[in-house]
Amino acid sequence: MTLKIKTMFKKSQLFISLIAFTCTNYFVQAQQNVTIPIETAKNSLVLQTDKDNRLGIVHFGKKLLKTSDNALISQELRYNDSNAGIYNSPYTPSGTWNLVEPAIQITHADGNSSLELKYVSHQTIKIDDNVTQTNILLKDPNYPVEVTLCYKVYAKENVIEQWSLIKHQEKKNILMQKYASANMYFSADNYVLHHYHGGWAEEMKTEETLLTAGIKTLDSKLGTRANLFQPPTFMLSFDRQATEDEGKVMLGTLAWSGNFKIDFEVDSYHNLRLLAGINPHASEYSLAPNQEFKTPSFISTFSDNGKGEASRNMHNWARKYRILDGEGSRLTLLNNWEATYFDFDEQKLTGLFKDGKKLGVDLFLLDDGWFANKYPRNGDVAGLGDWQENRKKLPNGIGYLMKEATKAGIKFGIWVEPEMVNPKSELYEQHKDWVIREPERPEHYFRNQLPLDLSNPEVQDFVFGVLDNLFTKNPDLAFIKWDCNAVTYNAHSMYLQKQGLPQTHLYVEYVKGLYKVLERIRTKFPKVPMMLCSGGGGRVDYEALKYFTEFWLSDNTDPIERIFIQWENSYFYPAIAHCNHITDWSKVGLKFRTDVAMMGKMGYDIVVSQLTEKELEFSQKALENYKRINPVIWKGNLYRLQNPWEKPFASVNFCNENQDHAVMFNYLTTNRFDTGYNPMPIKLKGLSPTKKYSVKEINLFPGTTSTLKADLVYTGDYLMTIGINPELSGRRSSVILEFTEVK
Ligand code: DGJ
């Protein structure tokens, strides 16, 4: 897309390209009409200075074949308004001549509230053959305030990660009212925003809206469980709604586990301004001289071949560069939450270890309820914060459970919620000053609990200590589920008050404190798999996922609901990170529940002893199948074939990089008599057209047979052009097909 920016550059002005030194770093000093292409393998974001040395975005989208052509783009733009050169700023300042939504708004030490940012220099650093980082320095000509815009490019994955560094050398602190991570500018005929909202057990409900003049905002002010109502993820189609395989689309997300704000502003030229960052709400930040403020990363990928390619870009990037052990392996598990809730003891648990082993999973995960004595954790009303084993339920402690698990031949993992406290706890009694609560007002609870104040280094030590103790006492602990069930009400920190720091730092310092703790945990225990959970999917983002191997998408494990929740999550997060458990939440048959859970990292949360003989046999076989096919699901490419929002059935296939192994999942998503479903062939994607594949229906329930002809071999071309008919019906509402290359 070439931008219709109201900036006019003279044809004669010279394009100053990056000066390549013999070394891999480049450096360019301030001069007029500098063009800075931020290029991935297929796309580019092109920035250029104007005659006044202000930087603007002149192009975003498919990259030009000749890099030097980028310098010419602005000559096509014919605008001369008095506001030319500010709408397209890559970091729009506030208080001077800007009239649109700013990226940054500050008050200087002398009380002046104007900011101007001009280009000074930029530098491109080659990190490796795939990754480069361009840092662009902007400065206020009148005040010693500077902003560095950082763009990290993952070329092959077509992903750009961007953030800003803010610094000043004024005599006293400056106040930052707004400090965005990203400010982008797009030009298209139309902009279609696909975004999400929801609540507990209703995550990732979709909205699609044509953006019109004015501002559309996605935000959270919830603090700890920030994404409960809305995640910081979205898809933006240009010109028209992109489909899986067609159209221009950007996927964007903010890597921040706290309050966020993403503004989409259609300006008076029908161009679109995007501003994404920490939510400025109640978060004015006082920045000391020479202190550097680093904003969170905004991560985006663009494709002009539809949402499918864009999401595969994101998956490839996330597995390789972001999610902890993203290209590694995962453990299947049996969780006791829905099987026992708080009602268990040693005997019951050791029985469950044996059940887990019989089932064939790798690990047993002990959930909530194992701790606290003065106020035992027998429900969600007490005990949170007191991380000592409950002597009544577990008289011999975790160590004993670990030994019993080992004896049973299964690994052992444990649930924690270390950021939270019940007022009915010893921790609350002893350290009320560690709790986020408004001292002048009545406490207000979410799930009977309050967050601890992670801006306080003592609290950080405490939270780190919870995990450190567990690992130190039980070095074989194989898994952690880290939960976070409450939002932040009455956001007030006794610690900040005592330090004389503004309360408006709390939301930001909380998240930074959380990352400090996670960093310490990962320095000491780099490998242990950890599940990110927040009363379901209330906190999922790419900063937290640096420390976690996987996340819990929702407490809602009804398989029909999960098809939709997993479908939407799959645009942003690869299957290896999706924790999908088979539970008794719904009465839908075990096969359907198992098949749906297999589309990610499979686990169980059921009473194994209540399974019928056939159900147990089916589950054992399913786990064997899963062992064989999980490399394709975890590391392969995902293709969405039939969208369940459009028709009452869903189909996807995964295919590995070698294109010799693929798995196709098909589901009927309605139980109505008139399903509205015609058993039509479904075309696969991502196979090799010239390879031949055998097809086998797997996960058949004992006593049932496939309706598909056995021993057939098809070419990839046939499967992708004609397709295959999974023959879904009321009796076959879930069908998994495995394709293996035949040589
Ligand atoms: C909320 C989680 O989403 C559940 O899986 C379970 O761990 C409970 N918390 C325990 O309190």
Side-chain angles (χ1 to χ4, degrees), residues 399-415:
Y400 169 79
L401 291 179
M402 301 248 0
K403 269 191 219 133
E404 287 301 305
T406 313
K407 251 197 247 165
I410 196 164
K411 292 179 199 290
F412 182 85
I414 204 160
W415 175 98

Side-chain angles (χ1 to χ4, degrees), residues 595-704:
D595 290 0
V596 173
M598 266 199 187
M599 290 195 292
K601 202 220 83 166
M602 183 161 86
Y604 289 82
D605 205 335
I606 51 170
V607 186
V608 177
S609 58
Q610 285 174 5
L611 294 178
T612 63
E613 226 171 87
K614 276 188 176 173
E615 284 175 335
L616 181 63
E617 184 193 333
F618 164 77
S619 304
Q620 289 165 333
K621 190 84 189 60
L623 274 156
E624 276 170 34
N625 286 335
Y626 187 60
K627 260 201 188 111
R628 188 179 64 256
I629 63 173
N630 71 36
V632 184
I633 298 164
W634 295 347
K635 294 167 194 175
N637 289 314
L638 168 66
Y639 298 88
R640 293 175 207 82
L641 311 175
Q642 175 54 54
N643 186 337
W645 297 102
E646 290 167 5
K647 288 188 182 160
F649 66 106
S651 272
V652 303
N653 78 260
F654 293 86
C655 183
N656 69 355
E657 210 50 43
N658 291 340
Q659 296 174 303
D660 57 17
H661 199 182
V663 186
M664 181 192 198
F665 295 88
N666 307 277
Y667 310 97
L668 201 59
T669 55
T670 176
N671 58 10
R672 296 191 59 195
F673 174 74
D674 176 12
T675 58
Y677 162 75
N678 287 327
M680 297 289 284
I682 297 169
K683 298 177 187 70
L684 280 91
K685 293 178 194 168
L687 307 178
S688 160
T690 51
K691 284 186 175 162
K692 288 190 205 130
Y693 299 89
S694 68
V695 53
K696 187 172 175 221
E697 180 168 354
I698 60 167
N699 271 18
L700 285 162
F701 200 76
T704 62

Side-chain angles (χ1 to χ4, degrees), residues 306-452:
K307 299 187 278 186
E309 183 178 271
S311 77
R312 286 185 290 280
N313 285 345
M314 204 57 125
H315 297 170
N316 292 337
W317 169 81
R319 280 190 299 248
K320 185 153 187 205
Y321 294 105
R322 191 50 71 113
I323 296 172
L324 188 81
D325 201 19
E327 294 182 308
S329 185
R330 297 292 184 269
L331 299 168
T332 55
L333 58 82
L334 174 65
N335 188 190
N336 70 310
W337 176 241
E338 289 194 28
T340 66
Y341 293 104
F342 296 95
D343 179 21
F344 56 80
D345 57 18
E346 267 173 5
Q347 208 190 346
K348 209 180 218 178
L349 293 179
T350 47
L352 296 182
F353 300 162
K354 289 176 197 139
D355 286 350
K357 181 67 189 169
K358 190 157 67 171
L359 190 62
V361 293
D362 302 315
L363 176 122
F364 177 82
L365 170 62
L366 174 59
D367 214 285
D368 196 354
W370 57 267
F371 50 90
N373 287 295
K374 183 171 174 191
Y375 304 105
R377 182 76 174 165
N378 292 329
D380 63 13
V381 290
L384 210 48
D386 300 345
W387 297 101
Q388 301 77 33
E389 292 100 323
N390 178 277
R391 284 187 292 274
K392 209 163 163 204
K393 289 183 198 173
L394 308 178
N396 297 299
I398 302 291
Y400 169 79
L401 291 179
M402 301 248 0
K403 269 191 219 133
E404 287 301 305
T406 313
K407 251 197 247 165
I410 196 164
K411 292 179 199 290
F412 182 85
I414 204 160
W415 175 98
V416 289
E417 193 180 1
E419 297 161 76
M420 297 284 164
V421 64
N422 284 129
K424 230 175 157 192
S425 69
E426 291 185 77
L427 182 71
Y428 181 91
E429 287 174 349
Q430 290 155 14
H431 288 291
K432 217 165 162 178
D433 57 328
W434 283 7
V435 180
I436 293 184
R437 53 190 291 282
E438 175 56 69
E440 307 303 328
R441 297 184 192 280
E443 288 179 355
H444 196 68
Y445 307 121
F446 194 108
R447 209 198 187 202
N448 312 303
Q449 64 192 54
L450 294 165
L452 293 173

